[in-house]
Amino acid sequence: MPYSIDHSSLALSRSALDRAADRRRDTAWLSQAWELPDTQVALVAGKPGDQRVAVNDDRTALAFVSPADAPDGERIFLGIDRVAGAGQTAEGRAVFAIMLAEATDSFASLREAGAVLDDREAGIAVNLVGLANWHGTHPHCARCGARTEIIDAGHVRRCPACGASHFPRSDPAVIVLVTDDQDRALLGRGVGWPEGRYSTLAGFVEPGESLESAVRREVLEESGVVVGNDVRYVGSQPWPMPSSLMLGFYAVATETTIDVDEDEIVDARWFSREDLKAAADTGEVVIPGSVSISRRLIEGWYGSDLPGSW
């Protein structure tokens, strides 16, 4: 498997902001930073699983506001710009966020904006959407059921009844492009997807399961194809919609007969490079968009860019 992916092309894996975890409990510093006019405040709104960030008019950058102009809402500290000349403190410019209930047309999803934001803003948006989704789905204590409160500048929820602390979670999921002895790629179409939409296979890691075992199990369950010991990790991408961390792999099949489960995958096919290019050119097959690690796995195997996307 000589192919690989360009990690810099993973749109949702980029980041430039220092998250400055050491400042999350420093209430005096946080209060001071909030009062500075050049502090930036991002906005996030929506329901869990559909959180959106405020963007500018042409939807190519985040729309920050100053603390003075920030609407009321739960506040999160995201980090510090440690770039020379940024901010009015020795550390740099502070970045906060406000969580709102309702999104308007001036908000965009990560699928829409993730690929066009710069490295700094992509990292801010991914972090913010992930945190907002977590807050939206964890308002109560998992131990006693009491309403929890936000502490540590938005990065922990504490139960005032039993004292339990609850932290943001990321659910590990494997995503894999499988090839055979002819170097064909296995792609599948999910239940409910339109005709022609194909992607790599993926699934969540189960408790007590290694990543490699999860790759083999998911491929077998979904497609009937058997993967051997040749399983290679190549990169990861946060996918906070609502809380996944996608762990990308290439793997080689030892048995290639396809028998889809029809619960998650309704069709799977082996594609040569020539087959996939011809099908993509005509629109017979459409692969995921540039915001997804799935597309990078496919194009890493193909060797260059492919036309079309969801």
Side-chain angles (χ1 to χ4, degrees):
M1 289 185 292
Y3 24 86
S4 61
I5 61 175
D6 175 7
H7 293 160
S8 66
S9 70
L10 296 175
L12 302 188
S13 296
R14 298 171 294 150
S15 181
L17 188 74
D18 183 343
R19 296 193 179 193
D22 59 312
R23 288 300 190 184
R24 292 172 186 170
R25 295 185 179 181
D26 191 339
T27 55
W29 185 92
L30 291 168
S31 296
Q32 181 185 36
W34 182 257
E35 297 299 325
L36 295 175
D38 68 336
T39 287
Q40 289 188 320
V41 183
L43 304 177
V44 63
K47 298 178 181 179
D50 188 28
Q51 295 283 358
R52 296 166 179 261
V53 290
V55 293
N56 64 1
D57 290 342
D58 61 7
R59 308 178 79 79
T60 60
L62 296 183
F64 294 100
V65 298
S66 69
D69 295 326
D72 293 335
E74 296 285 3
R75 188 188 305 175
I76 299 173
F77 171 63
L78 297 178
I80 300 172
D81 277 316
R82 299 195 187 276
V83 179
Q88 295 183 3
T89 72
E91 292 183 85
R93 177 177 53 200
V95 181
F96 290 82
I98 297 292
M99 294 187 292
L100 304 172
E102 299 293 333
T104 65
D105 290 342
S106 61
F107 287 71
S109 71
L110 286 179
R111 286 185 175 88
E112 295 174 86
V116 298
L117 297 176
D118 64 23
D119 291 356
R120 172 183 179 270
E121 294 191 358
I124 289 172
V126 172
N127 185 21
L128 179 52
V129 166
L131 282 171
N133 275 319
W134 173 70
H135 282 292
T137 54
H138 292 77
H140 295 276
C141 178
R143 290 186 181 180
C144 71
R147 183 81 183 184
T148 54
E149 59 187 12
I150 295 176
I151 62 172
D152 286 13
H155 295 266
V156 180
R157 296 188 72 99
R158 181 176 60 195
C159 177
C162 71
S165 294
H166 304 279
F167 300 87
R169 59 177 292 172
S170 293
D171 301 320
V174 295
I175 183 165
V176 55
L177 186 128
V178 180
T179 55
D180 66 1
D181 59 0
Q182 301 175 54
D183 205 22
R184 297 180 300 174
L186 178 67
L187 300 180
R189 183 165 68 85
V191 172
W193 291 3
E195 289 286 341
R197 180 180 290 186
Y198 284 82
S199 183
T200 51
L201 303 185
F204 289 104
V205 181
E206 295 186 347
E209 185 176 44
S210 71
L211 300 179
E212 293 81 5
S213 294
V215 167
R216 297 185 190 99
R217 175 183 55 77
E218 284 291 345
V219 172
L220 180 62
E221 289 176 355
E222 293 184 351
S223 71
V225 170
V226 177
V227 167
N229 292 325
D230 198 351
V231 177
R232 182 168 62 91
Y233 170 78
V234 291
S236 66
Q237 180 181 58
W239 194 255
M241 296 171 274
S243 57
S244 300
L245 175 63
M246 308 303 297
L247 304 159
F249 290 83
Y250 287 115
V252 177
T254 57
E255 296 181 23
T256 59
T257 300
I258 293 174
D259 181 18
V260 296
D261 63 2
E262 296 189 0
D263 290 326
E264 296 183 58
I265 301 296
V266 294
D267 184 40
R269 294 165 54 185
W270 290 105
F271 291 89
S272 68
R273 289 174 177 79
E274 293 76 17
D275 292 338
L276 185 58
K277 179 62 164 61
D281 282 341
T282 63
E284 175 190 350
V285 168
V286 183
I287 62 174
S290 59
V291 76
S292 171
I293 190 174
S294 177
R295 186 181 189 91
R296 300 311 175 194
L297 289 168
I298 295 168
E299 291 181 335
W301 159 80
Y302 180 74
S304 64
D305 294 342
L306 283 163
S309 69
W310 300 356

